[in-house]
């Protein structure tokens, strides 16, 4: 088992940030009795809870391993991928729930997302540098298809919602697109992409900032207004009112 170096400071910051986010979301969800509204709180709380646990694993060295690529020994935080494979589908579920997406759309998004993360894991553990880049490209391609569905199908379904719900959806969707496009950039420029423009210290810091923004920031925006979430869960009432 490898031992984290100076970058561990960012992992402890991530652990603290995710933990504070979890406690905040639990507080926001107290008193919510509507089962449909509770889905938002449950998913969002699990997102930061899982992330906090994985960041703790990385900070303590358990979530870290080494991969030999040519004459380089790369430190790979496998717990980061374990985080993403659980939390990114939940983020998409939150967004799909807000948009009132049907099951086929949700299944498509989650399927693309899991494929993206799994191929990213293959890239991270591949021992041939050229194949690492190949699998990174496949994973990034899956991300682009996922974002295409997000901007197309999911956004079309969100337009049927009330103005405030549609506006919140657009804000969260745009935030997700911006942040998720940065992940493969950090990966390819960092140590895992073998290019090493970003050393491990700054690569870890960059991923931590992206994770906190994509999870805690996303959750704060999503859960800040119960009235908007209530409108999102009562489409029939909205439609009747506007008829």
């Amino acid at each position: 088992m490898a031992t984290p170096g100076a970058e561990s400071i960012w992992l402890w910051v991530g652990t603290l940030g995710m933990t504070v986010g979890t406690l905040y979301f639990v507080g926001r969800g107290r008193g919510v009795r509507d089962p449909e509204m509770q889905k938002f709180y449950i998913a969002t709380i699990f997102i930061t809870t899982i992330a906090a646990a994985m960041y703790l694993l990385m900070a303590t060295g358990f979530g870290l391993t080494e991969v030999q690529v040519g004459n380089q020994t790369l430190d790979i935080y496998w717990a980061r991928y374990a985080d993403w494979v659980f939390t990114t589908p939940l983020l998409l579920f939150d967004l799909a729930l807000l948009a009132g997406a049907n099951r086929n759309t949700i299944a498509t998004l989650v399927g693309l997302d899991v494929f993206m993360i799994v191929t990213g894991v293959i890239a991270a553990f591949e021992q041939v540098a050229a194949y690492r880049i190949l699998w990174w490209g496949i994973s990034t391609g899956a991300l682009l298809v996922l974002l295409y569905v997000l901007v197309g199908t999911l956004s079309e379904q969100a337009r049927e919602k009330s103005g405030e719900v549609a506006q919140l959806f657009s804000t969260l969707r745009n935030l997700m697109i911006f942040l998720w496009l940065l992940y493969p950039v950090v990966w390819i420029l960092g140590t895992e992409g073998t290019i090493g423009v970003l050393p491990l210290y700054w690569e870890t810091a960059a991923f931590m900032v992206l994770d906190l923004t994509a999870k805690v920031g996303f959750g704060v925006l999503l859960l800040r207004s119960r009235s908007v979430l209530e409108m999102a869960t009562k489409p029939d009432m909205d439609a009747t009112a506007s008829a």
Side-chain angles (χ1 to χ4, degrees):
M1 182 177 69
T3 303
E7 74 277 0
S8 64
I9 182 63
W10 301 117
L11 301 173
W12 284 111
V13 171
T15 303
L16 178 62
M18 295 299 180
T19 302
V20 171
T22 298
L23 295 175
Y24 173 74
F25 298 145
V26 169
R28 292 289 300 173
R30 292 191 65 182
V32 176
R33 296 289 179 262
D34 184 275
E36 293 303 311
M37 287 181 64
Q38 285 177 346
K39 291 179 182 178
F40 289 107
Y41 294 91
I42 292 169
T44 307
I45 289 168
F46 268 113
I47 288 167
T48 50
T49 300
I50 293 169
M54 293 302 104
Y55 262 90
L56 180 59
L57 280 180
M58 291 188 284
T60 55
F62 186 80
L64 174 64
T65 190
E66 293 179 343
V67 173
Q68 191 70 31
V69 181
N71 59 358
Q72 297 184 68
T73 300
L74 303 182
D75 289 325
I76 303 297
Y77 284 102
W78 62 262
R80 179 175 291 133
Y81 296 92
D83 172 349
W84 292 341
V85 80
F86 289 108
T87 60
T88 53
L90 288 172
L91 285 164
L92 289 170
F93 175 75
D94 262 342
L95 200 59
L97 199 61
L98 189 65
N102 58 47
R103 291 182 180 179
N104 287 345
T105 302
I106 295 174
T108 300
L109 288 169
V110 171
L112 285 167
D113 180 73
V114 172
F115 179 79
M116 173 185 72
I117 301 301
V118 170
T119 50
V121 171
I122 296 172
F125 285 90
E126 173 59 58
Q127 296 183 356
V128 179
Y131 292 162
R132 292 176 72 86
I133 305 302
L134 172 63
W135 283 105
W136 168 85
I138 293 171
S139 180
T140 303
L143 169 62
L144 295 177
V145 175
L146 186 157
L147 296 182
Y148 176 80
V149 175
L150 205 65
V151 172
T153 306
L154 196 61
S155 295
E156 287 177 7
Q157 294 173 4
R159 292 190 193 102
E160 299 177 6
K161 294 289 186 176
S162 67
E164 288 180 276
V165 175
Q167 183 177 5
L168 177 59
F169 170 85
S170 295
T171 299
L172 294 174
R173 178 202 61 195
N174 293 341
L175 177 66
M176 180 177 286
I177 291 171
F178 174 72
L179 294 173
W180 283 27
L181 284 173
L182 290 177
Y183 278 94
V185 174
V186 172
W187 195 97
I188 196 66
L189 294 179
T191 59
E192 294 194 44
T194 68
I195 294 176
V197 173
L198 285 175
L200 184 62
Y201 181 85
W202 293 113
E203 175 187 81
T204 305
F207 276 131
M208 185 274 294
V209 171
L210 287 174
D211 280 343
L212 278 180
T213 309
K215 296 177 173 66
V216 178
F218 180 97
V220 169
L221 290 173
L222 175 66
L223 304 181
R224 65 182 175 179
S225 174
R226 287 189 182 182
S227 62
V228 175
L229 296 182
E230 187 174 8
M231 284 188 282
T233 58
K234 301 291 189 294
D236 292 338
M237 290 177 62
D238 293 335
T240 302
S242 61

